[in-house]
Amino acid sequence: MNVGFIGLGIMGKAMATNLIKAGFPVTVYNRTKSKMDALVAMGAKPAGSPKEVAGQSDVIITMVSDTPDVEQVILGENGVIHGVKSGSIVIDMSTISATATRKIAEELAAKGVEMLDAPVSGGDKGAVAGTLSIMVGGSEKALERVTPVFNAMGKKITHMGPVGNGQVTKMCNQIACALTILSFAEAFVLAAAAGLDVDKVLEAISGGAAGSWSMSNYGPRVLKGDFAPGFMVKLHQKDMRLVMNFAREMGVALPGAAIAQQLLSVAEKEEDGRLGNQSMIKPLEAMAGVKARSAK
Ligand code: NAP
């Protein structure tokens, strides 16, 4: 099965690497061409456009930033839709609007091409380790065909129903992620204000009922003052916008998500939102007048 991969950012680079390691013939495209070099050195074939990727692939994966970007690489000039063969499967693994996803799927269906929406969770670490959780919307038959591809990138693959439902599941995931970051951040800030050793606080509470993936993975980074992105603030903010818009459509109130979104808005002011989402702690630290950092 020839696999095409479009979007070699933090996530896409690692996911495409795992596909190559699993033995798939992989064709890659990235808007900033230099990001293709490392993959080509591992054996990937470079392409000049998403259209060219589509012409050479049975399965085409997109992993770009936001809804308009997916629309551009699939439906735009030189997009996938202009080169894709009937019977191929397009898988969008970015986190984008469920409504837009359903519209893109309709346009592809008119060309005899099925689409799966398959957003992921597990962060940069999960992408490198090939242990992502993948939430899939689309037909069961298409999912069966591409399961070996998903197995090369992820560990937990869950079929959520028709196309678009993967994105709705991912929104639920993003609410929980934002709130687990907020929860450990408030705990750390209070600990620092009280003069406790924050490393010890992390050690004491991360294995108990308060523990979370966010606390175990992002907590140590915060304490080291490491705000480099696994997942950029601006991308998490993009996801919270998707969440709040969808919640409004559904008539559902999400007060916790709204608070997390406000804190991300403050964090987004720094370095144009390019810091990691663990920097949600920074506005809380500023309000408390303390910094939760390791004494080591
Ligand atoms: P990233 O490092 O910023 O990479 C974004 C990629 O998309 C880059 O390859 C970029 O190309 C490409 N791109 C953006 N707009 C484009 C356009 N209009 N046309 C063509 N290419 C375009 O972001 P990431 O962290 O890998 O995230 C990718 C997706 O995964 C996002 O939807 C994000 O929400 C989701 N996600 C991320 C994580 C995480 O922990 N990082 C976890 C789960 C899900 P250039 O190199 O040319 O800029």
Side-chain angles (χ1 to χ4, degrees):
M1 198 184 317
N2 290 311
V3 180
F5 207 106
I6 297 162
L8 304 170
I10 292 177
M11 297 297 284
K13 182 185 177 191
M15 292 158 73
T17 299
N18 284 330
L19 289 169
I20 295 168
K21 282 188 186 161
F24 288 102
V26 179
T27 303
V28 293
Y29 168 79
N30 197 70
R31 180 179 59 184
T32 306
K33 305 270 187 270
S34 57
K35 289 193 196 166
M36 294 196 277
D37 295 347
L39 279 298
V40 171
M42 276 183 259
K45 212 167 134 189
S49 67
K51 176 184 172 183
E52 202 180 308
V53 171
Q56 298 176 21
S57 312
D58 309 304
V59 173
I60 301 112
I61 298 173
T62 52
M63 190 57 170
V64 295
S65 309
D66 202 351
T67 307
D69 306 311
V70 175
E71 287 169 342
Q72 189 177 340
V73 297
I74 296 183
L75 305 176
E77 198 187 339
N78 285 320
V80 168
I81 200 162
H82 303 296
V84 71
K85 298 171 284 185
S86 169
S88 297
I89 296 177
V90 173
I91 309 172
D92 178 40
M93 302 190 78
S94 331
T95 304
I96 67 161
S97 150
T99 310
T101 295
R102 290 173 182 142
K103 286 191 189 137
I104 297 168
E106 273 174 28
E107 296 213 28
L108 288 168
K111 292 240 165 187
V113 175
E114 267 201 75
M115 179 175 177
L116 296 173
D117 58 316
V120 303
S121 172
D124 53 336
K125 281 192 172 177
V128 171
T131 56
L132 293 168
S133 293
I134 308 177
M135 306 146 223
V136 188
S139 83
E140 195 136 17
K141 216 168 123 211
L143 171 55
E144 256 172 45
R145 262 182 69 196
V146 302
T147 294
V149 173
F150 284 149
N151 282 339
M153 298 181 284
K155 205 163 67 177
K156 177 90 185 146
I157 297 140
T158 314
H159 187 212
M160 303 309 304
V163 75
N165 282 14
Q167 293 296 353
V168 177
T169 310
K170 174 69 185 183
M171 284 187 232
C172 301
N173 183 79
Q174 293 309 80
I175 297 168
C177 277
L179 291 176
T180 50
I181 295 173
L182 175 56
S183 73
F184 85 71
E186 287 199 351
F188 284 8
V189 166
L190 182 63
L196 269 66
D197 177 334
V198 280
D199 286 302
K200 277 193 155 175
V201 172
L202 173 64
E203 193 188 322
I205 71 174
S206 60
S212 64
W213 186 97
S214 295
M215 187 186 285
S216 301
N217 285 276
Y218 292 143
R221 296 188 201 185
V222 166
L223 299 188
K224 276 189 232 135
D226 174 6
F227 292 99
F231 187 48
M232 283 183 240
V233 167
K234 65 176 184 178
L235 287 181
H236 204 157
Q237 185 67 308
K238 173 258 304 179
D239 294 351
M240 296 314 283
R241 269 194 293 273
L242 294 172
V243 164
M244 298 317 280
N245 287 340
F246 194 65
R248 207 170 297 122
E249 275 179 45
M250 295 288 111
V252 169
L254 300 174
I259 290 172
Q261 193 190 21
Q262 294 298 305
L263 292 170
L264 283 168
S265 292
V266 182
E268 205 175 3
K269 300 266 178 255
E270 207 172 330
E271 295 194 21
D272 207 17
R274 292 182 176 278
L275 293 179
N277 57 349
Q278 66 272 31
S279 60
M280 198 195 289
I281 196 170
K282 290 190 169 197
L284 294 169
E285 290 176 336
M287 286 191 277
V290 292
K291 282 193 174 163
R293 298 290 177 274
S294 173
K296 286 177 205 160

